[in-house]
Amino acid sequence: MAALSLAALRSQVESDLRGRVTAPFSYRDRNIFEVAPSGILEIDSSVGGLPRGAMTEICGLPGSGRSSLLVSVLASRTENGEVCALVDARDSFDPQTACAAGVDLRQLLWVRCQNIDQALRATDLLIQSGGFGLVAVDLSDLAPKTVRYVPLNAWFRFRRAVEDTPTVLMILDQEANAKNCASLVLRLDAEAVRWSETVKSADCGTLPFCGKKMDAAAQGYSFARLFEGFSVRTEIIRSRMQSSNGLAPAVAAHG
């Protein structure tokens, strides 16, 4: 009896929304997406890429590799000729670094915001306007408690607006906040930082260091410690994609 009542209710809702909302219950069951490469082999081999017509949420603490992933995705999409939009909630995007990493700035609309309200309004407008291969919303420099107060209906509205479009909607924040509205949720965690040491002398210039510091210092050598990069572990928190398989391999990100 309850099953019949639920079926009747679903039929009534679909009837009431006919002509205004296409297949209001189809999204929940959807698990096959066209995907776009992220530009990072380890992520693409694990989840297949970023789903189009759906929301992907990337979360992680400061220094976890979120910015590196964002730049990689922007580089991959703009190199493919797609027009992308970046909603920058705290005006922290560095276009020079992005350009050096391969982002075609001619294909990027950079929306510079000062707070979360501006960022949410801009996201609404961009998704509704269409025409973007990627809309990235960077909330990662906002205080986590600020993003927690984003109403659930805002995430639901974004999810519904991007559905049945070729757009990849990517949200970056410190915690997972979009709940079930996100079709793919990845959490990034920084692992070991890699350093190298060099030794410098007036005669030989700068060379990789091997040996005892005390002996070399006595001969007038000076030392420098250079940052080579760090590794990031990507964990799949939630996925509606058939290609999901649990934990992704470590992803190398270089600073």
Side-chain angles (χ1 to χ4, degrees):
M1 187 68 179
L4 291 176
S5 299
L6 182 60
L9 178 60
R10 173 172 174 153
S11 177
Q12 182 63 47
V13 171
E14 288 179 330
S15 176
D16 292 343
L17 295 178
R18 187 171 295 123
R20 291 181 291 167
V21 177
T22 303
F25 296 103
S26 65
Y27 193 98
R28 178 174 296 178
D29 300 325
R30 188 180 175 201
N31 60 2
I32 299 177
F33 300 89
E34 179 186 353
V35 295
S38 69
I40 297 179
L41 178 62
E42 291 84 353
I43 289 180
D44 293 337
S45 63
S46 177
V47 299
L50 305 179
R52 295 189 185 274
M55 183 190 302
T56 296
E57 187 171 19
I58 309 295
C59 58
L61 297 175
S64 62
R66 292 180 320 244
S67 297
S68 296
L69 176 58
L70 170 62
V71 169
S72 176
V73 175
L74 289 174
S76 174
R77 297 298 85 222
T78 58
E79 183 182 22
N80 199 48
E82 295 184 14
V83 178
C84 301
L86 171 61
V87 179
D88 187 4
R90 287 297 298 269
D91 194 11
S92 58
F93 179 67
D94 183 356
Q96 291 184 335
T97 299
C99 184
V103 178
D104 186 349
L105 298 179
R106 297 170 299 180
Q107 297 289 110
L108 177 64
L109 173 63
W110 177 22
V111 183
R112 306 168 71 178
C113 304
Q114 299 299 322
N115 55 57
I116 194 166
D117 291 333
Q118 292 179 1
L120 296 178
R121 288 198 297 269
T123 302
D124 250 333
L125 291 172
L126 290 170
I127 299 174
Q128 296 289 347
S129 66
F132 295 97
L134 168 74
V135 175
V137 185
D138 189 0
L139 308 176
S140 56
D141 285 330
L142 296 173
K145 65 178 181 181
T146 301
V147 186
R148 285 187 212 125
Y149 287 122
V150 174
L152 183 59
N153 67 343
W155 302 121
F156 181 80
R157 187 171 65 251
F158 294 161
R159 187 192 81 173
R160 295 298 296 178
V162 78
E163 187 181 3
D164 296 325
T165 74
T167 301
V168 174
L169 175 59
M170 185 170 72
I171 310 294
L172 296 101
D173 47 19
Q174 295 190 39
E175 303 172 345
N177 292 285
K179 312 299 180 186
N180 290 330
C181 293
S183 295
L184 177 64
V185 181
L186 303 178
R187 182 169 62 205
L188 307 184
D189 293 300
E191 293 191 334
V193 176
R194 299 188 302 276
W195 300 90
S196 66
E197 291 186 324
T198 61
V199 59
K200 184 176 182 180
S201 71
D203 297 331
C204 301
T206 301
L207 300 170
F209 172 70
C210 57
K212 295 182 179 180
K213 284 188 177 182
M214 293 182 63
D215 294 344
Q219 300 177 33
Y221 290 93
S222 58
F223 298 90
R225 197 177 188 207
L226 303 179
F227 174 68
E228 287 191 337
F230 62 95
S231 297
V232 174
R233 182 172 180 80
T234 307
E235 182 181 359
I236 302 173
I237 302 300
R238 183 184 305 113
S239 176
R240 290 193 177 95
M241 302 169 65
Q242 287 187 342
S243 56
S244 171
N245 63 359
L247 294 180
V251 177
H254 301 279

